[in-house]
């Protein structure tokens, strides 16, 4: 059940989103931010997700732009993100444009992190950034992204 005033999801919604994870500790489960720790394939992982939904384009909140019709880092903000993969994922009412980075640069530092950016196409009015610390197979993260966009519709 969602709380509109507190902008919180129920534990059940986060349990659904992170169903493939074991020993899940939900630190935050809000409409705009989720943070969990748990295990997948026997490995400990931490996942942070930030979600933006608004009229107009949501990708700008993550310092992204459109490049050849696909979301891409604009490199105008604090972080310059290198993208190693881009792909689409079909969802109800459209598809997700997804880009993945295995490194980010910020303030001269290189941090090895898996970051996924996903935006619902064609409106691009809802986007998510999912940061993973630990090793998680891409198919597991695609499942998380699909559920974020289906549970939070």
């Amino acid at each position: 059940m969602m709380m509109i005033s507190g902008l919180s999801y129920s534990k059940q919604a986060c349990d659904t989103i992170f169903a493939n994870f074991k020993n899940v500790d939900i630190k935050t489960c809000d409409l705009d931010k989720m943070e969990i720790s748990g295990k997948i394939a026997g490995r400990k992982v931490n996942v942070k997700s930030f979600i933006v939904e608004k009229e107009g384009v949501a990708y700008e909140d993550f310092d992204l732009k459109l490049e050849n019709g696909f979301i891409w880092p604009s490199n105008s903000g604090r972080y310059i993100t290198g993208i190693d993969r881009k792909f689409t994922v079909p969802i109800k009412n459209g598809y997700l444009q997804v880009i993945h980075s295995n490194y980010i640069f910020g303030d001269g530092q290189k941090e090895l992190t898996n970051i996924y950016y996903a935006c619902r196409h064609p409106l691009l009015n809802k986007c998510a950034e999912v940061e993973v610390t630990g090793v998680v197979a891409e198919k597991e993260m695609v499942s998380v992204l699909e559920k974020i966009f289906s549970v939070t519709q």
Side-chain angles (χ1 to χ4, degrees):
M1 178 178 247
M2 268 191 301
M3 266 182 19
I4 302 292
S5 61
L7 297 178
S8 292
Y9 287 117
S10 70
K11 181 182 180 307
Q12 183 180 11
C14 275
D15 285 345
T16 299
I17 292 169
F18 298 103
N20 295 342
F21 292 73
K22 306 295 180 212
N23 304 322
V24 174
D25 176 22
I26 299 171
K27 295 175 172 81
T28 307
C29 189
D30 295 333
L31 287 173
D32 59 349
K33 181 180 179 185
M34 297 176 205
E35 186 174 353
I36 65 106
S37 61
K39 288 187 174 183
I40 193 158
R43 298 182 186 123
K44 186 172 170 62
V45 295
N46 294 304
V47 179
K48 292 180 185 175
S49 174
F50 304 94
I51 303 162
V52 173
E53 185 168 15
K54 65 181 191 179
E55 289 186 34
V57 292
Y59 60 82
E60 292 172 342
D61 287 30
F62 294 118
D63 199 27
L64 299 173
K65 64 179 180 180
L66 285 182
E67 185 172 292
N68 297 322
F70 213 92
I71 57 171
W72 205 254
S74 66
N75 296 334
S76 63
R78 180 174 169 211
Y79 294 102
I80 300 173
T81 308
I83 303 303
D84 59 355
R85 287 215 352 96
K86 71 177 183 176
F87 53 95
T88 59
V89 176
I91 60 169
K92 186 178 180 178
N93 302 324
Y95 63 92
L96 296 179
Q97 288 187 346
V98 182
I99 54 178
H100 172 263
S101 173
N102 60 2
Y103 61 93
I104 59 174
F105 291 91
D107 297 336
Q109 302 289 328
K110 182 176 182 182
E111 178 184 333
L112 293 175
T113 305
N114 284 309
I115 297 179
Y116 292 83
Y117 296 98
C119 290
R120 181 174 51 206
H121 203 271
L123 299 177
L124 301 170
N125 63 341
K126 182 174 186 178
C127 296
E129 173 189 324
V130 180
E131 183 177 327
V132 182
T133 304
V135 178
V136 180
E138 184 174 282
K139 69 178 182 174
E140 301 293 350
M141 292 312 303
V142 167
S143 175
V144 166
L145 288 168
E146 289 171 327
K147 291 172 187 172
I148 284 173
F149 282 83
S150 67
V151 169
T152 64
Q153 284 190 22

